[in-house]
Structure formats: C-alpha cells, structure tokens
Amino acid sequence: MQTRSIALAAGLLVNLAVAGAAAESSLKDAYQGDFVVGAALNEPEITGQDAAGDAIIAAQFSSISPENCLKWERVHPEPNRYDFALPDQYVALGEKNHMFIVGHNLVWHNQVPDRVFHDANGKLLGRKALLARLKHHIYTVVGRYKGRINAWDVVNEVVDEDGSLRKSPWLKIIGPGYIAMAFRYAHQADSKAELLYNDYNLEIPKKREGAIALVKQLIKQRVPITTVGLQGHYLLGEPSVEQVDTAISEFAKLGMKVAITELDVDVLPRPAGGPTADVTLNIAQNSALNPYVGGLPDSVQQQLAARYGELFAVFVKHRDVIDRVTLWGVTDADTWHNNWPIRGRTAYSLLFDRAGQPKPAFDAAIHAAGR
Ligand code: XIL
C-alpha cells in the first residue's frame, strides 16, 4: 500500500503516493492495543491464487476468519469423511502471519448436509444419536486445530427474530440443551479456545432479549461461553449506532466479551426490507435492484465512509470489551453481497475496492482510531 516506485525512461525513480495519507497506515496498526482487525478469507485467498488479496491481508489484518471452508458441509461432507485440505492451509496462513485465527462455525442450520439429521434409511435421527454425531464432529474439527485456532463460533444464529430459540433440526431433535452441549464439547476439545455464540440482528431489542436470556441461562449452567459475536451485517442507515452501542453494552453487562465478527455495509437496495443475514434468501434479479454496475456515485461513497467511521467510533468506545472486529471479506470483488440476497449484483460493502485500493471508508475506519 505504501508507495509505488515507477522507473521513468530517463532512469529516474519517482515515488508516487498511490493513496491518501490515511492509506499509509494499516487497520491492524491503527487498532493495535484496542482489538485485532480481521477479514474473512475465501478459497483463492487461502490457496495463494489471489496474490493481490493476500498482500492486503498480510499488510492490513491481524486476524482471519474462514468464509466457508470450516462449515460442516465443507469440512465434513460425508458421514465418515472429513476434508481438511483447505482448513489446513487456512490455519497455516494465519500462523505464518502471526494472526488471531478464528473457526467458523461448529453448529448452524445452514450449510450442513441434511443427512446429518437422518440415519442411513432416511429416518430422522434420535436425540442420542445426533448428540453423538455433534460430539464427534466437534472433537474432530476443534481437536485437529487445538492450540492453533484461537476462537470458535460454537453456535451460529440459534435465536430467531422473535427472540425464541430457532426451530432448527438441532433444537427439534435434541432440545434446547444442544447449545450447552456444543460449548462443552468444544471446551473439552480445546480448553484454551475462546468460544462464541454468534448471531445477526442482536441490535434489535426483541431478538436481543432472547439472546440475553440464552446467555444468562448458559452462564447459570456454567457453560464455557466467553464471547458474544455480533455479525455486523449492516445497511447504510440501519441499525442506528445507538442500537449497536446498546447491544455491545448489554452483552458486556453480562460479563461477556464482544466481537464484531462479520462486518460489512450493504449500499444496495433491499427489497426484502431491513437488515437480515438469512443466507437462504434468494430474490429475483432486475436492473433497478442493481443500480451501481458502472461505479458508486460519490454521494453514496461518502455516506459509506461516514457509516464506517461512526461504526468504528462505537467499537473504539467499547475497546475494553471488544477483542476483535472482522470484516466479512477483503475487497468489494469478494463480498458475498455480490450474490446475496440477489445473484449477480455489483456491491460495495467493504473497505477496499475491486482493484484492491483503499476506499474513503478505509480512511474513515483508520481515522476513527483517533491516533
Ligand atoms: C456466507 C458466505 O459469505 C457465502 O459465501 C456463502 O455462500 C453463504 O454464507 N452469516 C454467517 C456466514 O454466519 O457464514 C455467512 O457467510 C453470512 C451470514
């Protein structure tokens, strides 16, 4: 990012600053001592096929998360087969760069093969059998990276929008105790790892009330939960910074650490309404819903910068309880918003543009560190 040297025909070496002054710094340095700053990595970044992306990752970030490679369907695609090829490279990359390495995730209702909940004859599994599968999965995956993966999203999105426990196959078959059991298995497999409950829309009071009740219950049962993950899939105007602020405070009050685990800001129209991160949404494409194919208008670029600035300001305010802020991707070419909730759009949700250059939002994020 620093400066780029261009040799002129005359043989002169001219140093061209390729970006503004703020781009001289890195996110990880700007927030050193406050919290680590992470990015979710996709397959080309993990395997070294995206050299430009890898350069940004090494220069800017002090933590990494796996966008997909540790999800059940990838790491454990068949009953007796685990595939660790990509996760091994992922962890090695984090170790090479001395990063805080995150595992995402152990228990979720998405990206898990349906056969996990059925026996060989297609019959729904009983409670004991499913718990045995859960234990085997967690012991195998967490155990393999014991002492190397520093934090695990143990349960992902287990609270529903109305604050009740999500009616997932996990809940239906095992009952509410599956959450405590997942944490216990993870702790048994690696007693030093930080263990998270991770969810979206915890800024919205109704859902948060349910999450708070859940966390209180886990604490009462002495379940080894350390951290609440706010996914942070935000829009330009929602949730308000006050709501984000309140959510962080409320979980901190319970004695939890807080991590912002999947930060991005979607500037594209949301026909389905306000914030959500329901990965099963799939809305039909039409050009009115894809307004910035040719580039982001400056006015929106500035709104995005202001939004990142105000969000990072809240994170800094809470740096005593926040131990990590992770962006859900590196450049705008990588953001999942290019394909969700509508396929084939041109999204601008992150801090680096499609050419890997820092955006005004990057400068705003650095500036909020106040150094
Ligand atoms: C998303 C990935 O970014 C996509 O590549 C994938 O197709 C679907 O999942 N909440 C989560 C993440 O916890 O795992 C999701 O990641 C985004 C919403």
Side-chain angles (χ1 to χ4, degrees):
M1 218 65 9
Q2 268 46 346
T3 53
R4 196 172 284 168
S5 299
I6 296 180
L8 295 180
L12 274 177
L13 217 62
V14 176
N15 282 320
L16 274 185
V18 293
E24 299 293 332
S25 355
S26 69
L27 293 163
K28 65 177 176 185
D29 289 343
Y31 287 98
Q32 186 158 31
D34 294 339
F35 40 72
V36 294
V37 185
L41 306 194
N42 58 27
E43 185 165 340
E45 287 157 349
I46 293 170
T47 55
Q49 283 157 30
D50 178 359
D54 287 337
I56 299 175
I57 293 159
Q60 293 289 333
F61 295 100
S62 41
S63 173
I64 52 174
S65 294
E67 187 177 10
N68 287 299
C69 74
L70 275 164
K71 291 173 180 173
W72 194 307
E73 67 179 10
R74 301 285 179 98
V75 73
H76 191 177
E78 288 167 43
N80 297 316
R81 186 167 69 85
Y82 287 85
D83 183 353
F84 289 115
L86 212 48
D88 282 356
Q89 289 183 70
Y90 163 76
V91 173
L93 178 73
E95 287 182 332
K96 191 179 103 196
N97 291 303
H98 311 290
M99 289 161 150
F100 185 89
I101 304 174
V102 179
H104 172 81
N105 54 55
L106 296 172
V107 186
W108 195 22
H109 59 286
N110 286 311
Q111 297 187 269
V112 51
D114 195 45
R115 57 101 191 128
V116 168
F117 307 105
H118 296 89
D119 67 17
N121 303 315
K123 215 178 126 237
L124 205 63
L125 231 51
R127 179 175 186 277
K128 268 197 166 162
L130 186 57
L131 267 176
R133 281 188 185 177
L134 182 63
K135 182 176 178 181
H136 192 269
H137 179 85
I138 293 179
Y139 270 40
T140 306
V141 179
V142 176
R144 183 177 182 91
Y145 302 110
K146 182 176 176 184
R148 301 175 69 201
I149 286 191
N150 306 101
W152 277 100
D153 290 340
V154 178
V155 294
N156 198 33
E157 304 176 353
V158 294
V159 174
D160 221 331
E161 299 311 282
D162 66 0
S164 66
L165 288 185
R166 184 182 290 282
K167 314 287 174 294
S168 68
W170 297 109
L171 182 76
K172 287 183 191 154
I173 297 174
I174 302 176
Y178 83 90
I179 297 174
M181 290 310 288
F183 276 98
R184 294 199 197 285
Y185 295 149
H187 188 66
Q188 286 156 14
D190 186 351
S191 63
K192 298 227 169 71
E194 187 181 313
L195 301 180
L196 288 89
Y197 152 53
N198 190 49
D199 217 325
Y200 61 89
N201 280 357
L202 296 181
E203 298 78 10
I204 295 171
K206 191 151 201 187
K207 183 162 181 176
R208 185 171 62 248
E209 276 166 34
I212 288 175
L214 169 65
V215 171
K216 278 186 172 164
Q217 173 83 359
L218 294 175
I219 293 170
K220 205 169 124 200
Q221 296 171 332
R222 299 183 169 278
V223 170
I225 178 176
T226 60
T227 312
V228 173
L230 306 181
Q231 288 187 359
H233 292 296
Y234 296 142
L235 306 179
L236 276 178
E238 290 177 88
S240 69
V241 278
E242 290 76 22
Q243 286 177 308
V244 176
D245 192 332
T246 304
I248 297 166
S249 300
E250 300 258 295
F251 290 111
K253 258 192 255 162
L254 302 180
M256 290 286 105
K257 290 196 284 182
V258 175
I260 312 300
T261 55
E262 307 182 12
L263 182 63
D264 50 24
V265 176
D266 195 3
V267 302
L268 298 178
R270 276 291 173 90
T276 174
D278 176 357
V279 299
T280 62
L281 273 181
N282 189 359
I283 297 165
Q285 160 77 281
N286 82 52
S287 52
L289 296 174
N290 190 18
Y292 309 131
V293 180
L296 195 61
D298 191 56
S299 60
V300 188
Q301 189 78 268
Q302 297 312 323
Q303 283 179 60
L304 182 67
R307 179 65 162 154
Y308 267 107
E310 68 176 11
L311 286 168
F312 270 90
V314 177
F315 305 152
V316 180
K317 176 183 163 193
H318 291 285
R319 63 187 166 206
D320 52 332
V321 292
I322 292 185
D323 65 351
R324 171 168 59 95
V325 175
T326 293
L327 278 297
W328 202 242
V330 179
T331 78
D332 286 339
D334 311 321
T335 170
W336 70 305
H337 290 152
N338 291 315
N339 287 304
W340 178 94
I342 298 175
R343 292 202 71 78
R345 293 200 295 181
T346 306
Y348 297 86
S349 313
L350 297 169
L351 299 179
F352 295 88
D353 69 16
R354 286 177 163 69
Q357 292 301 309
K359 296 157 62 174
F362 170 89
D363 296 351
I366 295 271
H367 186 74
R371 291 174 200 257

